[in-house]
Amino acid sequence: MDNGFELGAWVQKLYMLSTSDHASVVSMNLFVALLCGCIVIGHLLEGYRWMNESITALIIGLCTGVVILLMSRGKSSHLLVFSEDLFFIYLLPPIIFNAGFQVKKKQFFRNFITIMLFGAFGTLISCAVISTGVMLFFKNLEIGYLDISDYLAIGAIFAATDSVCTLQVLSQDETPLLYSLVFGEGVVNDATSVVLFNAIQSSDLTTIDPTIALHFIGSFLYLFLASTLLGVLTGLLSAFIIKKLYFGRHSTDREVALMILMAYLSYILAELFYLSGILTVFFCGIVMSHYTWHNVTESSRITTKHAFATLSFVAETFIFLYVGMDALDIEKWRFVSDSPGTSVAVSSTLLCLVLLGRAAFVFPLSFLTNLTKKSQNEHITFGQQVIIWWAGLMRGAVSMALAYNKFTTSGHTKLRPHAIMITSTITVVLFSTMVCGLMTQPLIRLLLPHPKQSSSAASSGSNTPRSVRIPLLGNQQDSEADMSDEHPPTSLRMLLATPTHTVHRCWRKFDDTFMRPVFGGRGFVPFIPGSPTEQNPY
């Protein structure tokens, strides 16, 4: 009798497990079909510059959420439960790595100081403004109890910009300076926001004193520098291994696989040592494009370039599609249904603080940057400052992930204050992405009616396929034009007069003398017996 009962319970458990597995398969099928739909519709809207693929995925996600909500009779609106591991471990790495791998490094490093000012120091200013604002205003909104760590975390969450949507309407060739600043600042901003958020989470903020403040600053700097160094070292290790072992003589598949796995390893190592995976994988991408990519065969270069871009594109579409569906999650909205005015007030306050926090550093730091520029063509004009300010107002996947990390448990919210913060984050993300994303292109046309003329001095003159071949600090022709050997920077005065050119020159001499002989790079021709067509023509 007992055996029969146990057998029946086992069969029932097996049936429930198989049903659950089948439901997961059905959900994944629908999600993959939606991804295909996003790609097809995005292709059809290619000529319509106002509607980019991020907004398209958001709208499709919202429509899908409405359909699921109606079919489930108000019980659920999404196919998958949000998982922080899914976002941080699987979706974010290919996006950030491809950003570093495909970046036009000449423009990025030419504006490196400005990018770091905006992306790192500017993020700290924005976080401080938002945190101070929520401390002052949220107490009057009766949302419930939030402690000091919650307020600081909110500042870090809403200081994280989402430049993916904006970059789809900006052109590297028409507005190279704008693209470089918005792109570079966006990546550094995301990394800084995550590092800042982790530092807040790991610090004891119940009592604020100078010792705690110094510990917090030290923890932030350690995470920032250690993460960058780990990414550089991992990239150099991949270059050294591929240069010495010549995988291409037997199989290009091994080269491609090793590049992909080493890139992912850099991110996982950073997470293992509690560092910033975003910074690590970004700088790993830069180093691998400068050294490793030139050590592989020509077929591997083409394959890796398109493989990284494809993985990044799918991950971005997946994130925006899910955010659109999750915006209608009935569980979270149920907590705020009794006081919708409070939710509206919180979302409006956050939007205003995001606007103010962004303006608090873009315009002052742009003014300070212009003071250091001798040439008028290198100045950031007021119109460009407005576009940089506007482009960084969008909040997206990183803000959502950090909010879930702080205010939910396994994707579910059980406290009213936390539910209000989640719904407010969703509202800010949707509003900023839709409105700012749609209005960016008209704003560029209004403020920069002739972008090609206004930015011709900063234009690199290279198209997208060639961008991957540009070395770390520019191509040889630009280097010779910008700083000839007739006036070598032999004094501190020369360094102060032309810091960018001086650092550029010193780096190239160091790179050519010490780095390239060991790690390969541009100009390296891997020896592959019997395959003359695989020789590197560059």
Side-chain angles (χ1 to χ4, degrees):
M1 188 69 178
D2 292 339
N3 292 338
F5 177 77
E6 291 178 0
L7 181 61
W10 182 82
V11 171
Q12 184 178 7
K13 185 177 180 179
L14 182 63
Y15 174 76
M16 293 175 62
L17 183 62
S18 62
T19 304
S20 176
D21 291 342
H22 181 71
S24 299
V25 172
V26 171
S27 298
M28 288 305 300
N29 270 277
L30 291 175
F31 216 98
V32 172
L34 289 173
L35 286 173
C36 295
C38 291
I39 295 174
V40 172
I41 296 176
H43 172 73
L44 296 176
L45 297 175
E46 180 69 26
Y48 191 58
R49 294 296 296 274
W50 288 28
M51 282 291 293
N52 54 60
E53 287 163 336
S54 300
I55 298 177
T56 302
L58 272 176
I59 294 176
I60 293 177
L62 283 170
C63 295
T64 305
V66 171
V67 173
I68 298 175
L69 199 63
L70 293 175
M71 293 179 63
S72 64
R73 298 181 180 180
K75 295 181 180 180
S76 176
S77 66
H78 49 71
L79 301 171
L80 302 173
V81 176
F82 182 83
S83 170
E84 296 163 23
D85 291 340
L86 173 66
F87 176 77
F88 281 107
I89 302 299
Y90 301 108
L91 296 179
L92 194 58
I95 298 175
I96 303 301
F97 177 81
N98 186 65
F101 192 79
Q102 302 282 6
V103 66
K104 285 192 173 183
K105 288 170 279 295
K106 176 184 175 182
Q107 284 292 331
F108 180 82
F109 283 97
R110 172 180 288 176
N111 303 294
F112 185 75
I113 296 177
T114 306
I115 288 171
M116 294 304 295
L117 275 176
F118 283 3
F121 189 61
T123 302
L124 296 177
I125 296 175
S126 180
C127 177
V129 170
I130 295 173
S131 297
T132 304
V134 295
M135 288 182 191
L136 295 175
F137 294 111
F138 277 18
K139 295 179 181 178
N140 301 323
L141 297 179
E142 299 179 355
I143 65 174
Y145 175 75
L146 294 173
D147 58 26
I148 183 66
S149 64
D150 292 330
Y151 290 127
L152 293 176
I154 291 171
I157 290 168
F158 288 95
T161 65
D162 181 24
S163 57
V164 172
C165 190
T166 303
L167 292 179
Q168 293 178 353
V169 295
L170 285 176
S171 171
Q172 292 196 69
D173 297 322
E174 294 181 357
T175 55
L177 175 62
L178 271 181
Y179 190 96
S180 174
L181 291 178
V182 172
F183 167 80
E185 186 229 333
V187 175
V188 177
N189 168 277
D190 286 345
T192 305
S193 299
V194 174
V195 170
L196 189 60
F197 181 84
N198 292 336
I200 292 171
Q201 293 286 81
S202 60
S203 300
D204 182 12
L205 302 174
T206 54
T207 57
I208 303 297
D209 56 58
T211 305
I212 296 296
L214 289 175
H215 174 75
F216 178 80
I217 294 173
S219 176
F220 176 80
L221 292 177
Y222 164 74
L223 287 173
F224 204 94
L225 296 176
S227 302
T228 301
L229 181 61
L230 178 60
V232 172
L233 292 178
T234 309
L236 291 177
L237 178 62
S238 69
F240 182 79
I241 292 175
I242 290 181
K243 177 177 180 293
K244 289 297 181 181
L245 299 183
Y246 303 141
F247 288 94
R249 78 177 76 180
H250 298 301
S251 172
T252 58
D253 297 339
R254 294 173 183 170
E255 288 182 323
V256 176
L258 188 63
M259 286 187 69
I260 294 175
L261 292 175
M262 289 292 288
Y264 190 64
L265 178 64
S266 69
Y267 187 89
I268 298 301
L269 283 175
E271 295 298 317
L272 176 65
F273 296 116
Y274 301 101
L275 301 175
S276 171
I278 295 178
L279 265 180
T280 298
V281 78
F282 175 70
F283 280 97
C284 179
I286 290 179
V287 173
M288 288 183 71
S289 68
H290 185 60
Y291 294 109
T292 313
W293 190 78
H294 294 278
N295 295 343
V296 300
T297 59
E298 184 65 21
S299 59
S300 295
R301 294 177 194 174
I302 297 173
T303 302
T304 52
K305 175 185 171 184
H306 291 289
F308 293 142
T310 302
L311 290 173
S312 173
F313 170 76
V314 173
E316 291 171 6
T317 307
F318 187 100
I319 291 171
F320 282 104
L321 182 63
Y322 181 84
V323 169
M325 284 193 294
D326 195 61
L328 300 175
D329 186 9
I330 197 65
E331 175 191 322
K332 301 177 182 64
W333 291 102
R334 188 180 291 117
F335 282 93
V336 298
S337 60
D338 58 337
S339 55
T342 301
S343 180
V344 173
V346 171
S347 300
S348 302
T349 301
L350 288 171
L351 278 170
C352 293
L353 289 174
V354 167
L355 291 169
L356 182 61
R358 183 81 184 161
F361 75 85
V362 169
F363 298 106
L365 293 183
S366 297
F367 175 76
L368 293 176
T369 300
N370 288 340
L371 292 179
T372 64
K373 304 291 186 180
K374 289 190 175 183
S375 173
Q376 191 68 27
N377 292 329
E378 296 180 351
H379 284 195
I380 305 174
T381 65
F382 181 74
Q384 291 174 331
Q385 294 175 33
V386 173
I387 294 174
I388 293 171
W389 168 73
W390 181 265
L393 294 177
M394 281 181 284
R395 299 298 180 263
V398 174
S399 294
M400 287 284 295
L402 295 180
Y404 272 98
N405 181 283
K406 179 65 179 179
F407 298 112
T408 68
T409 303
S410 300
H412 298 286
T413 309
K414 298 180 180 179
L415 299 176
R416 182 175 181 273
H418 292 181
I420 291 177
M421 290 313 307
I422 292 294
T423 55
S424 299
T425 303
I426 293 172
T427 303
V428 171
V429 168
L430 289 178
F431 182 85
S432 61
T433 302
M434 299 288 286
V435 175
C436 297
L438 289 172
M439 295 302 297
T440 299
Q441 186 65 22
L443 188 65
I444 293 175
R445 293 177 178 175
L446 177 65
L447 298 177
L448 301 175
H450 303 291
K452 291 183 179 180
Q453 297 178 9
S454 63
S455 61
S456 59
S459 177
S460 62
S462 60
N463 53 27
T464 302
R466 186 178 173 268
S467 64
V468 186
R469 302 189 189 120
I470 298 178
L472 193 58
L473 290 170
N475 54 33
Q476 185 66 32
Q477 290 77 10
D478 291 323
S479 301
E480 293 172 352
D482 289 343
M483 40 169 202
S484 62
D485 292 334
E486 297 177 2
H487 304 285
T490 57
S491 65
L492 179 62
R493 182 179 179 183
M494 181 64 72
L495 175 62
L496 296 176
T498 57
T500 303
H501 293 168
T502 304
V503 173
H504 185 170
R505 178 188 179 88
C506 293
W507 162 252
R508 287 191 63 86
K509 291 180 66 176
F510 175 79
D511 191 32
D512 293 336
T513 305
F514 299 103
M515 300 297 288
R516 292 183 189 274
V518 177
F519 300 105
R522 191 180 187 187
F524 174 75
V525 182
F527 175 71
I528 305 174
S531 301
T533 58
E534 295 293 338
Q535 299 293 321
N536 180 10
Y538 301 104

